[in-house]
């Protein structure tokens, strides 16, 4: 153990440089920010092999986002040195069979300790280059049939965006499934499944990548789409994926554990959410589409009147209110609810996802949350929201 600054920092930086030259580095972190509160939480560093050569990949972890940058070894050593002087008190470097831990004290003393370890698995540098795909294009029957891939199994150039969206969607649902801790065998209802792009991709991922046993039903108004999707599900040998012709509000369904409604029109989203709440679904996911119901009622008589003066802003305000009330109603029924953008706005403006995960079963909605909704409606002079009407709350709120 050595303990006199800057020798310990020098030793640490020399080891960092040597371990990269000898391709021994596994990973490194800089932590314990010097300034409190700090804009960074920590910095995570790993080696990557890029076209330009061996580089160190820095992930700067901020509280609400990560920023990633790649540097040469020489630049990296300089940066780590600077960050140890100005930004962090701790650095931990993991090599193939040892780890080096540097700790700088508030009076600028540095302590370096080295621990031997059993051989660690080395990172796959080439693998780091590739973005993880949740849906594979090769030999994919449904992607080919839906026109995303050509006969050689490659994603068509004009379908790259769609393929990215499908992957992003599956990635998001993957994290929701894990957070909700759904059982191995569970039922999913996809309301307004349309041509089935996302339905097929999600079923495929859950069944063949996660090895779960989902039973999935797509509900769709248009019989010709239902027929096509059922034929395709048979071709793809997706035994427990079925499509049924019907309307979201009345289709016969066994209580789904997960209810999904992506871009179902206007109040069809409310009908879907209501069915999820009434069935006690563990997870409810919806991406609202057009918003007409609240817009017609938006007549604030107070200072907020100016917000509705300009058409496009009035439309956005109506969307915000509609989706806020949906999210609050989910909360009132015991769902931990998140609202976020799930694909970039350059692909579609309809990119808000409302996700509710049931954390407690609640027969009666929470009165405090209902009061919040009542106040919000009063502010904008809104008579009723379709979701509260379906759930019979409109007289309560
Ligand atoms: C914009 S598409 C979205 C399809 C798919 N969910 C997706 O995101 O790719 C909306 C679909 O919902 C269907 N739909 C709309 N209202 C419905 C309702 N009340 N019941 C069943 N299906 C409905 C439409 O026929 C259409 O196929």
């Amino acid at each position: 153990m050595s303990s006199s600054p800057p020798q310990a920092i020098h030793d640490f930086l020399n080891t960092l440089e040597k371990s990269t030259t000898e391709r021994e580095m596994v990973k490194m972190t800089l932590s314990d920010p010097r300034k409190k509160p700090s804009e960074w939480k920590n910095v995570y560093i790993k080696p990557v092999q890029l076209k330009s050569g061996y580089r160190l990949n820095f992930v700067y972890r901020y509280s609400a986002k990560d920023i990633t940058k790649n540097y040469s070894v020489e630049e990296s050593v300089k940066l780590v040195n600077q960050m140890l002087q100005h930004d962090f008190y701790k650095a931990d470097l993991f090599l193939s069979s040892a780890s080096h831990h540097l700790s700088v004290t508030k009076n600028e003393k540095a302590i370096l300790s080295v621990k031997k370890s059993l051989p660690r698995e080395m990172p796959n540098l080439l693998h780091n280059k590739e973005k993880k795909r949740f849906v594979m294009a090769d030999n994919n029957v449904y992607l080919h049939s839906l026109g995303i891939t050509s006969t050689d199994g490659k994603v068509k150039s004009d379908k790259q965006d769609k393929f990215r969206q499908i992957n992003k969607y599956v990635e998001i649902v993957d994290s929701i499934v894990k957070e909700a801790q759904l059982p191995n065998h569970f039922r999913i209802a996809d309301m307004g499944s349309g041509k089935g792009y996302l339905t097929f991709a999600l079923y495929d991922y859950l069944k063949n990548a996660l090895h779960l046993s989902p039973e999935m039903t797509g509900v769709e108004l248009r019989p010709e789409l239902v027929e096509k999707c059922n034929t395709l599900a048979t071709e793809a040998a997706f035994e427990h994926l079925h499509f049924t012709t019907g309307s979201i509000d009345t289709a016969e369904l066994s209580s789904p554990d997960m209810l999904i409604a992506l871009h179902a029109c206007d109040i069809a989203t409310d009908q879907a959410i209501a069915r999820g709440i009434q069935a006690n679904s563990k997870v409810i996911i919806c991406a609202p589409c057009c918003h007409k119901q609240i817009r017609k009622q938006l007549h604030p008589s107070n200072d907020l009147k100016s917000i509705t003066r300009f058409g496009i802003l009035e439309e956005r305000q109506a969307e915000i209110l509609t989706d806020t009330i949906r999210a609050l109603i989910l909360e009132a029924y015991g769902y931990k609810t998140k609202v976020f953008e799930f694909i970039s706005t350059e692909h579609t403006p309809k990119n808000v996802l409302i996700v509710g995960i049931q954390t407690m079963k609640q027969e009666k909605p929470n009165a405090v949350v209902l009061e919040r909704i009542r106040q919000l409606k009063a502010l904008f002079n809104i008579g009723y929201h379709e979701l509260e009407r379906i759930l019979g709350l409109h007289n309560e709120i």
Side-chain angles (χ1 to χ4, degrees):
M1 184 181 286
S2 57
S3 64
S4 60
Q7 192 55 46
I9 295 183
H10 273 148
D11 290 349
F12 184 85
L13 295 173
N14 282 339
T15 309
L16 172 62
E17 189 163 10
K18 187 163 173 279
S19 71
T20 51
T21 318
E22 294 174 1
R23 305 292 191 259
E24 284 237 299
M25 178 187 181
V26 176
K27 62 181 178 179
M28 180 180 153
T29 49
L30 288 156
S31 59
D32 195 2
R34 283 170 172 260
K35 292 181 207 113
K36 309 254 167 33
S38 154
E39 51 172 345
W40 293 334
K41 286 200 291 189
N42 57 32
V43 179
Y44 177 77
I45 305 169
K46 66 180 180 193
V48 286
Q49 186 68 43
L50 303 180
K51 270 195 193 137
S52 46
Y54 183 91
R55 295 284 180 272
L56 293 189
N57 171 272
F58 284 50
V59 181
Y60 297 89
R61 293 194 164 140
Y62 294 77
S63 43
K65 63 177 176 190
D66 288 350
I67 292 188
T68 304
K69 291 199 170 144
N70 297 314
Y71 299 104
S72 69
V73 170
E74 196 186 337
E75 288 168 324
S76 302
V77 173
K78 274 192 198 145
L79 273 173
V80 170
N81 187 17
Q82 275 170 19
M83 286 194 277
L84 283 171
Q85 314 278 345
H86 304 293
D87 304 304
F88 293 103
Y89 285 122
K90 279 200 175 128
D92 299 286
L93 172 63
F94 297 88
L95 310 182
S96 55
S97 53
S99 54
H100 295 237
H101 305 276
L102 180 76
S103 191
V104 183
T105 62
K106 298 223 160 66
N107 49 5
E108 302 306 327
K109 285 205 174 359
I111 301 168
L112 179 62
S113 63
V114 180
K115 290 182 194 153
K116 292 265 168 245
S117 67
L118 290 172
R120 289 191 174 86
E121 194 180 335
M122 294 304 288
N124 178 353
L125 304 186
L126 284 175
H127 181 74
N128 285 333
K129 236 173 42 159
E130 289 166 13
K131 182 150 176 37
K132 181 175 177 195
R133 289 269 176 231
F134 285 79
V135 176
M136 294 302 168
D138 289 347
N139 296 322
N140 189 316
V141 175
Y142 63 88
L143 282 184
H144 179 52
S145 192
L146 291 167
I148 305 280
T149 53
S150 47
T151 33
D152 60 359
K154 299 261 180 307
V155 178
K156 293 180 186 169
S157 54
D158 60 338
K159 298 290 177 196
Q160 293 286 348
D161 262 9
K162 186 93 194 163
F163 186 57
R164 262 195 293 278
Q165 284 173 30
I166 292 173
N167 268 284
K168 188 71 201 163
Y169 167 70
V170 175
E171 179 182 352
I172 290 170
V173 182
D174 170 67
S175 67
I176 297 168
V177 168
K178 286 172 185 159
E179 185 182 341
Q181 298 182 342
L182 287 164
N184 225 22
H185 175 83
F186 62 102
R187 276 195 290 265
I188 310 176
D190 188 350
M191 311 299 254
S193 47
K195 289 186 182 159
Y197 294 101
L198 302 173
T199 326
F200 277 94
L202 181 59
Y203 180 88
D204 184 19
Y205 179 73
L206 296 172
K207 174 93 182 121
N208 298 321
L210 295 189
H211 305 293
L212 301 174
S213 308
E215 206 175 297
M216 198 160 176
T217 308
V219 174
E220 171 54 51
L221 272 182
R222 292 156 64 185
E224 70 281 12
L225 295 183
V226 170
E227 197 185 324
K228 272 192 187 153
C229 286
N230 276 329
T231 307
L232 188 50
T234 309
E235 273 172 35
F238 288 170
E239 207 184 337
H240 296 290
L241 172 61
H242 299 286
F243 293 83
T244 176
T245 306
S247 177
I248 290 174
D249 53 343
T250 52
E252 255 184 53
L253 277 181
S254 307
S255 298
D257 300 289
M258 179 187 268
L259 182 131
I260 301 175
L262 302 172
H263 299 135
C265 317
D266 193 24
I267 58 166
T269 298
D270 299 303
Q271 294 167 349
I273 298 175
R275 291 204 69 171
I277 292 175
Q278 286 159 341
N280 248 315
S281 299
K282 176 81 182 154
V283 177
I284 298 178
I285 302 176
C286 66
C289 189
C290 44
H291 293 67
K292 299 195 188 100
Q293 192 251 325
I294 289 289
R295 188 173 179 189
K296 288 183 214 140
Q297 303 184 53
L298 208 55
H299 306 298
S301 54
N302 44 33
D303 294 345
L304 294 169
K305 210 174 172 134
S306 308
I307 290 186
T308 56
R309 236 188 81 197
F310 304 98
I312 180 69
L313 300 180
E314 181 192 33
E315 186 181 327
R316 291 197 185 155
Q317 189 55 53
E319 287 175 14
I320 291 172
L321 281 167
T322 308
D323 292 337
T324 302
I325 295 175
R326 285 170 175 157
L328 287 173
I329 291 180
L330 278 166
E331 277 188 0
Y333 278 96
Y335 287 81
K336 185 177 136 205
T337 305
K338 295 183 220 173
V339 181
F340 53 95
E341 287 186 338
F342 73 118
I343 35 176
S344 139
T345 35
E346 77 202 50
H347 302 303
T348 167
K350 312 275 181 220
N351 66 346
V352 165
L353 205 64
I354 303 176
V355 176
I357 298 182
Q358 192 187 49
T359 50
M360 66 177 111
K361 279 193 183 160
Q362 204 144 315
E363 293 291 313
K364 281 192 158 240
N366 181 310
V368 177
V369 185
L370 294 190
E371 175 55 21
R372 238 178 265 150
I373 298 172
R374 194 195 61 72
Q375 287 172 6
L376 191 57
K377 280 174 28 194
L379 204 57
F380 286 89
N381 237 336
I382 294 169
Y384 75 97
H385 186 295
E386 181 63 11
L387 182 54
E388 53 173 354
R389 194 197 60 75
I390 303 172
L391 293 169
L393 301 174
H394 54 300
N395 296 326
E396 285 182 51
I397 311 182

